[in-house]
Amino acid sequence: MALVASLTLSAQTVPDIDAVNADDETPATNLEIKVMHARSFYAGDSVAHIVLPVFYKYPPLNFKNPKERDRYNRLVANVKRLLPLAKLARYTVIETYDFIQTLPTKKERAEHLKRVEEGLKKQYTPTLKKLTRSQGRLLVKLIDRECGQTGYEIAQAFIGAFKANMYQAIAFCFGNSLTRRYDPEGEDRYIERVVRMVESGQL
């Protein structure tokens, strides 16, 4: 696995979309917007060279009633809270995969994965327990967006099918599924709009 980051200065126009559904408002967590600073040389002198994040240009949303506006505002708050967790999941997957490739034996890899699993449980179980069902479903989709794999596929790859099925059963009991896919062009297009604007600092 490899993580490639690229920041460019551009404006993108996206087709109009209607209001969006979201449940349960929660406190928001701001993402850090990174700006690349460098120097360029022109006519024998150095000048500032700044590469800004992508700017997304969307048509305004037209809400049919205050209830739809409230749902959209809750979605924004939930994305701000959960997107950092989804990104952390991506970094954890990359770091764990890269590290276990350096371990020479299957036993050592299994032991390391067990320690990672236990550490993640200890650190993030209290946070995950506080999530509502709708937030849990959103987090599963955001993980698929960030990692390109469902939560079930990630668990199966690292800790095996048995534990992956166990976690899937637990998620099912709480009205969720680790196999949920993220569809930015379809049913999740509203989420994608919010995610892009949060990442670019527009929300």
Short mmCIF file of all heavy atoms in Angstrom, two decimals, residues 1 3 27 36 43 45 49 51 53 62 68 73-74 77 87 119 126 130 138 154 167 182 191 200:
data_model
loop_
_atom_site.label_atom_id
_atom_site.label_comp_id
_atom_site.label_asym_id
_atom_site.label_seq_id
_atom_site.Cartn_x
_atom_site.Cartn_y
_atom_site.Cartn_z
N MET A 1 0.84 -1.19 0.00
CA MET A 1 0.00 0.00 0.00
C MET A 1 0.87 1.24 0.00
O MET A 1 1.95 1.25 0.53
CB MET A 1 -0.88 0.01 1.24
CG MET A 1 -1.87 -1.13 1.32
SD MET A 1 -2.91 -0.97 2.78
CE MET A 1 -3.81 -2.48 2.66
N LEU A 3 0.52 5.70 0.22
CA LEU A 3 -0.33 6.87 0.39
C LEU A 3 0.28 8.02 -0.39
O LEU A 3 1.40 8.43 -0.13
CB LEU A 3 -0.42 7.23 1.88
CG LEU A 3 -1.23 8.49 2.20
CD1 LEU A 3 -2.67 8.31 1.74
CD2 LEU A 3 -1.18 8.77 3.70
N PRO A 27 -21.31 17.14 18.37
CA PRO A 27 -20.27 18.15 18.23
C PRO A 27 -19.35 17.85 17.07
O PRO A 27 -19.06 16.70 16.76
CB PRO A 27 -19.51 18.06 19.57
CG PRO A 27 -20.50 17.49 20.51
CD PRO A 27 -21.34 16.55 19.70
N MET A 36 0.67 23.78 1.21
CA MET A 36 2.08 23.56 0.93
C MET A 36 2.78 24.90 0.68
O MET A 36 2.31 25.71 -0.13
CB MET A 36 2.23 22.65 -0.29
CG MET A 36 1.73 21.24 -0.08
SD MET A 36 1.88 20.23 -1.56
CE MET A 36 3.66 20.29 -1.80
N ALA A 43 13.38 35.95 -12.05
CA ALA A 43 14.22 37.12 -12.33
C ALA A 43 15.31 37.29 -11.28
O ALA A 43 15.58 38.40 -10.81
CB ALA A 43 13.36 38.39 -12.42
N ASP A 45 15.30 36.40 -8.18
CA ASP A 45 14.84 36.59 -6.80
C ASP A 45 13.88 35.46 -6.43
O ASP A 45 13.25 34.85 -7.30
CB ASP A 45 14.15 37.94 -6.65
CG ASP A 45 14.01 38.35 -5.19
OD1 ASP A 45 14.56 37.64 -4.33
OD2 ASP A 45 13.35 39.38 -4.93
N HIS A 49 5.81 30.47 -3.04
CA HIS A 49 5.10 29.51 -3.89
C HIS A 49 4.16 28.71 -2.99
O HIS A 49 4.61 27.91 -2.18
CB HIS A 49 6.09 28.58 -4.60
CG HIS A 49 5.43 27.54 -5.44
ND1 HIS A 49 4.99 27.78 -6.72
CD2 HIS A 49 5.12 26.24 -5.18
CE1 HIS A 49 4.44 26.69 -7.20
NE2 HIS A 49 4.51 25.74 -6.30
N VAL A 51 0.73 26.29 -2.67
CA VAL A 51 -0.23 25.41 -3.33
C VAL A 51 -1.39 25.20 -2.37
O VAL A 51 -1.22 24.63 -1.29
CB VAL A 51 0.40 24.06 -3.71
CG1 VAL A 51 -0.63 23.20 -4.44
CG2 VAL A 51 1.62 24.28 -4.58
N PRO A 53 -5.34 23.90 -1.20
CA PRO A 53 -6.22 22.75 -1.44
C PRO A 53 -7.22 23.04 -2.55
O PRO A 53 -7.47 24.19 -2.91
CB PRO A 53 -6.94 22.56 -0.10
CG PRO A 53 -6.09 23.28 0.90
CD PRO A 53 -5.45 24.40 0.17
N ASN A 62 -31.23 23.95 -1.98
CA ASN A 62 -32.56 24.49 -1.74
C ASN A 62 -33.34 23.54 -0.84
O ASN A 62 -33.66 22.42 -1.24
CB ASN A 62 -33.30 24.66 -3.08
CG ASN A 62 -32.64 25.69 -3.97
OD1 ASN A 62 -32.23 26.75 -3.51
ND2 ASN A 62 -32.49 25.36 -5.25
N GLU A 68 -35.47 19.72 6.68
CA GLU A 68 -34.42 19.29 5.77
C GLU A 68 -33.12 20.05 6.03
O GLU A 68 -32.04 19.49 5.95
CB GLU A 68 -34.86 19.50 4.31
CG GLU A 68 -35.88 18.48 3.84
CD GLU A 68 -36.10 18.55 2.34
OE1 GLU A 68 -35.68 19.56 1.72
OE2 GLU A 68 -36.68 17.60 1.79
N ASN A 73 -27.56 20.10 8.34
CA ASN A 73 -26.64 20.61 9.36
C ASN A 73 -26.11 19.49 10.25
O ASN A 73 -24.95 19.49 10.66
CB ASN A 73 -27.33 21.67 10.22
CG ASN A 73 -27.58 22.95 9.45
OD1 ASN A 73 -26.91 23.24 8.45
ND2 ASN A 73 -28.56 23.74 9.87
N ARG A 74 -26.97 18.50 10.54
CA ARG A 74 -26.51 17.36 11.33
C ARG A 74 -25.51 16.52 10.54
O ARG A 74 -24.54 15.99 11.11
CB ARG A 74 -27.70 16.50 11.78
CG ARG A 74 -28.48 17.10 12.94
CD ARG A 74 -29.38 16.07 13.58
NE ARG A 74 -30.46 15.64 12.68
CZ ARG A 74 -31.64 16.24 12.61
NH1 ARG A 74 -31.90 17.29 13.37
NH2 ARG A 74 -32.58 15.80 11.79
N ALA A 77 -22.17 18.24 10.78
CA ALA A 77 -21.58 18.03 12.09
C ALA A 77 -21.04 16.61 12.24
O ALA A 77 -19.95 16.40 12.78
CB ALA A 77 -22.62 18.31 13.19
N LYS A 87 -10.07 8.72 8.48
CA LYS A 87 -8.71 8.95 8.00
C LYS A 87 -7.69 8.25 8.89
O LYS A 87 -6.69 7.71 8.41
CB LYS A 87 -8.43 10.46 7.92
CG LYS A 87 -9.22 11.16 6.82
CD LYS A 87 -8.86 12.62 6.72
CE LYS A 87 -9.62 13.30 5.59
NZ LYS A 87 -9.28 12.74 4.25
N GLY A 119 -4.88 -2.71 21.19
CA GLY A 119 -4.64 -1.29 21.40
C GLY A 119 -5.77 -0.43 20.85
O GLY A 119 -6.19 0.54 21.50
N PRO A 126 -14.40 3.37 23.83
CA PRO A 126 -15.24 4.39 24.50
C PRO A 126 -15.82 5.41 23.53
O PRO A 126 -16.97 5.82 23.67
CB PRO A 126 -14.25 5.05 25.49
CG PRO A 126 -13.21 4.02 25.75
CD PRO A 126 -13.05 3.30 24.44
N LYS A 130 -20.16 5.82 22.04
CA LYS A 130 -20.95 7.05 22.14
C LYS A 130 -21.65 7.41 20.82
O LYS A 130 -22.49 8.31 20.79
CB LYS A 130 -20.06 8.21 22.56
CG LYS A 130 -19.49 8.07 23.96
CD LYS A 130 -18.57 9.24 24.30
CE LYS A 130 -17.95 9.08 25.68
NZ LYS A 130 -17.01 10.19 25.98
N LEU A 138 -22.59 5.93 9.08
CA LEU A 138 -21.80 6.91 8.33
C LEU A 138 -20.31 6.61 8.44
O LEU A 138 -19.57 6.69 7.45
CB LEU A 138 -22.09 8.32 8.85
CG LEU A 138 -21.29 9.46 8.23
CD1 LEU A 138 -21.50 9.53 6.71
CD2 LEU A 138 -21.67 10.79 8.88
N ILE A 154 -11.28 -5.21 5.51
CA ILE A 154 -10.07 -4.87 6.26
C ILE A 154 -9.87 -5.85 7.42
O ILE A 154 -8.76 -6.37 7.63
CB ILE A 154 -10.16 -3.43 6.80
CG1 ILE A 154 -10.16 -2.45 5.63
CG2 ILE A 154 -8.99 -3.13 7.74
CD1 ILE A 154 -10.47 -1.02 6.03
N TYR A 167 -17.24 -9.58 14.28
CA TYR A 167 -17.48 -8.13 14.32
C TYR A 167 -18.68 -7.75 13.45
O TYR A 167 -19.44 -6.84 13.79
CB TYR A 167 -16.24 -7.37 13.88
CG TYR A 167 -15.12 -7.38 14.89
CD1 TYR A 167 -13.83 -7.75 14.54
CD2 TYR A 167 -15.36 -7.02 16.22
CE1 TYR A 167 -12.80 -7.76 15.48
CE2 TYR A 167 -14.34 -7.03 17.16
CZ TYR A 167 -13.06 -7.40 16.78
OH TYR A 167 -12.06 -7.40 17.72
N TYR A 182 -19.48 2.61 -0.07
CA TYR A 182 -19.66 4.05 -0.26
C TYR A 182 -19.92 4.32 -1.73
O TYR A 182 -19.15 3.89 -2.60
CB TYR A 182 -18.40 4.78 0.21
CG TYR A 182 -18.51 6.28 0.19
CD1 TYR A 182 -19.27 6.95 1.13
CD2 TYR A 182 -17.84 7.02 -0.78
CE1 TYR A 182 -19.37 8.33 1.12
CE2 TYR A 182 -17.92 8.40 -0.79
CZ TYR A 182 -18.69 9.05 0.16
OH TYR A 182 -18.77 10.42 0.15
N ILE A 191 -23.26 13.07 0.98
CA ILE A 191 -22.13 12.91 1.90
C ILE A 191 -20.84 13.33 1.22
O ILE A 191 -20.00 14.01 1.81
CB ILE A 191 -22.03 11.45 2.40
CG1 ILE A 191 -23.31 11.05 3.13
CG2 ILE A 191 -20.82 11.26 3.30
CD1 ILE A 191 -23.36 9.57 3.53
N SER A 200 -11.67 20.71 2.19
CA SER A 200 -11.10 21.91 1.58
C SER A 200 -11.23 23.13 2.48
O SER A 200 -10.79 24.23 2.12
CB SER A 200 -11.75 22.18 0.22
OG SER A 200 -13.13 22.50 0.39
#
